[in-house]
Amino acid sequence: MATFSDDFTAASDEDLGDHTPDTGTGWSWVGTGGSSAVMIEADDNAVQPTAVTTAEAGFHEIEPALSSADQQAWGRRYAFEISGSEARGFPAVRMVDETQWYGISHYGTGGAGTRVIAYNSTASGLDTFQGATGEWLRIKAEGSTITVWKAASGSEPTDPGADTNWTQVGVDHTGQTNFQTETSCGLANNVGTGAAVSFLQNFRADIYPVAAGGGARPQGALGHPFIGAFGGPI
């Protein structure tokens, strides 16, 4: 099971900041405005960014934060409401504040457009690809490399912390040295006028790599796994 998990189940519509996740303790709003910019729609068990102004930019950080900046976040895209060409809420990793993070952005008027963004004061697109509702998306930060992965519509991939259960989208985005010590991740909410508003279900977050049974593999000073008495990692 992931360190943090939320299926956005609620008895009635509520602010994400007031919601209790399935695993983890909560969501903490970091931004210049109020956290009501992101709501859970109880009928759909989905989280949706609402209309956003510059004063409402920010992100919801998972609580507690992860124990490593090598981390991953993933979730299921539920639906889109296309109304422009700007981006809105999406999974993000290595969050510093409302203007510094890496994330998966939903944008565009042509359908389920998707962009991998390095957000540092102004958005910088690392990659662009076409997506589909119902599929699972994952962003992973490992060292100075950012990668994005997807899985077909339907059930969550078995052992979702393993790369082999996903299909990589695009290339390895190497040389991404920003925010390499940041352990915060969650859902970002950026600004603009038009929007491709996305509904997200089933958010998860964990460190990377994750050992069998959950938890990080213990590592030495140079990042190599410790070796046990019979030559295997411990």
Side-chain angles (χ1 to χ4, degrees):
M1 177 180 292
T3 299
F4 185 94
S5 177
D6 198 342
D7 290 334
F8 305 121
T9 302
S12 58
D13 294 356
E14 64 178 338
D15 187 309
L16 182 59
D18 297 329
H19 177 69
T20 301
D22 298 279
T23 305
T25 58
W27 295 89
S28 178
W29 174 252
V30 178
T32 56
S35 62
S36 59
V38 179
M39 299 291 294
I40 292 176
E41 291 203 352
D43 290 345
D44 302 311
N45 297 135
V47 65
Q48 177 201 13
T50 57
V52 180
T53 67
T54 301
E56 293 172 328
F59 65 85
H60 281 87
E61 173 188 6
I62 66 169
E63 296 288 354
L66 297 176
S67 60
S68 173
D70 284 354
Q71 55 187 226
Q72 54 190 325
W74 65 97
R76 179 178 179 268
R77 296 201 284 193
Y78 174 64
F80 289 89
E81 290 181 0
I82 305 301
S83 59
S85 58
E86 298 290 335
R88 284 297 183 271
F90 36 84
V93 294
R94 291 184 177 173
M95 294 170 152
V96 181
D97 56 33
E98 62 265 34
T99 62
Q100 299 181 90
W101 35 261
Y102 291 100
I104 304 173
S105 165
H106 309 285
Y107 80 102
T109 57
T114 305
R115 179 172 292 163
V116 185
I117 284 183
Y119 201 96
N120 188 2
S121 298
T122 58
S124 175
L126 300 179
D127 202 357
T128 302
F129 61 95
Q130 195 72 9
T133 57
E135 69 185 358
W136 289 77
L137 287 176
R138 170 181 177 242
I139 183 168
K140 184 182 79 173
E142 182 182 14
S144 60
T145 300
I146 305 296
T147 52
V148 172
W149 312 72
K150 68 178 180 178
S153 300
S155 301
E156 183 174 6
T158 303
D159 188 13
D163 292 348
T164 53
N165 295 319
W166 299 82
T167 300
Q168 185 170 350
V169 179
V171 300
D172 290 0
H173 301 289
T174 58
Q176 303 302 312
T177 57
N178 292 322
F179 331 138
Q180 279 191 272
T181 61
E182 295 300 326
T183 59
S184 296
C185 71
L187 293 173
N189 195 33
N190 77 337
V191 299
T193 51
V197 179
S198 61
F199 295 77
L200 184 72
Q201 291 181 323
N202 314 108
F203 179 87
R204 316 278 190 251
D206 214 330
I207 58 174
Y208 185 87
V210 176
R217 295 185 179 94
Q219 295 179 339
L222 299 179
H224 302 297
F226 291 125
I227 302 300
F230 298 96
I234 60 174

